[in-house]
Amino acid sequence: MSTRTLEFVLAIALAGGERRQSSLLRDLFADCASKSAIPTLAYRARKLGIATEFIPMRASYRMLTPVVIDAVELLDALRSGDVRTALWLYSGPCLANSRSPLAIETRELIDTRLTRAVLATGDRAFIEFAATKLDAVELRSGR
């Protein structure tokens, strides 16, 4: 699966399953893409078995296939206060090689929220363990 297709699926999943075409264009391409870029990504997702549809009245794309994405599950775990599950789901920076606005923002969001949540536990051993998985100065210094 291409990185752009992964970004497309992630963007829709982060939005709860539906996202406006204009925000997809902005978040994936910083508004610098052809008109066919988003429909092409939807086509590629469908070829991979991830059903998507365009909703003309809302100018949005919706995923019809349930998709499990670690980044989305991790953020859900943090929202529910389950820091240990969130850390277990963390396997490194989200879309590490991508430079799209969405990927950069999602990486920063996950790293910041996860680091803060780990520190908030106050559990020194857990913080030290988290420091082996997350590259966060705050965890190594215990701040």
Side-chain angles (χ1 to χ4, degrees):
M1 185 182 298
S2 77
T3 301
R4 287 286 188 205
T5 307
L6 285 171
E7 292 170 342
F8 173 79
V9 171
L10 176 62
I12 295 173
L14 285 170
E18 184 175 331
R19 192 149 188 176
R20 294 185 57 85
Q21 183 172 3
S22 59
S23 80
L24 288 166
L25 187 62
R26 181 187 65 245
D27 291 347
L28 300 182
F29 297 99
D31 291 327
C32 298
S34 69
K35 286 186 174 195
S36 67
I38 301 302
T40 298
L41 292 175
Y43 170 77
R44 288 180 182 162
R46 286 191 295 276
K47 294 275 288 177
L48 293 168
I50 302 170
T52 61
E53 70 176 350
F54 180 68
I55 304 165
M57 290 178 15
R58 294 196 294 261
S60 65
Y61 282 86
R62 178 171 48 197
M63 270 193 309
L64 305 172
T65 305
V67 178
V68 176
I69 299 173
D70 287 353
V72 175
E73 287 191 328
L74 186 155
L75 290 168
D76 287 345
L78 288 175
R79 276 195 275 299
S80 70
D82 190 350
V83 181
R84 293 184 188 286
T85 295
L87 185 62
W88 180 79
L89 287 165
Y90 185 84
S91 60
C94 180
L95 295 169
N97 296 321
S98 176
R99 300 293 168 242
S100 73
L102 172 85
I104 292 167
E105 181 181 311
T106 303
R107 272 195 302 274
E108 290 173 359
L109 178 70
I110 288 171
D111 291 349
T112 300
R113 286 189 182 172
L114 187 54
T115 299
R116 287 179 184 162
V118 166
L119 287 171
T121 68
D123 180 336
R124 176 70 25 243
F126 183 62
I127 293 169
E128 288 174 9
F129 172 71
T132 66
K133 291 187 76 168
L134 283 161
D135 185 28
V137 172
E138 301 90 345
L139 294 177
R140 288 190 297 280
S141 66
R143 283 187 269 130

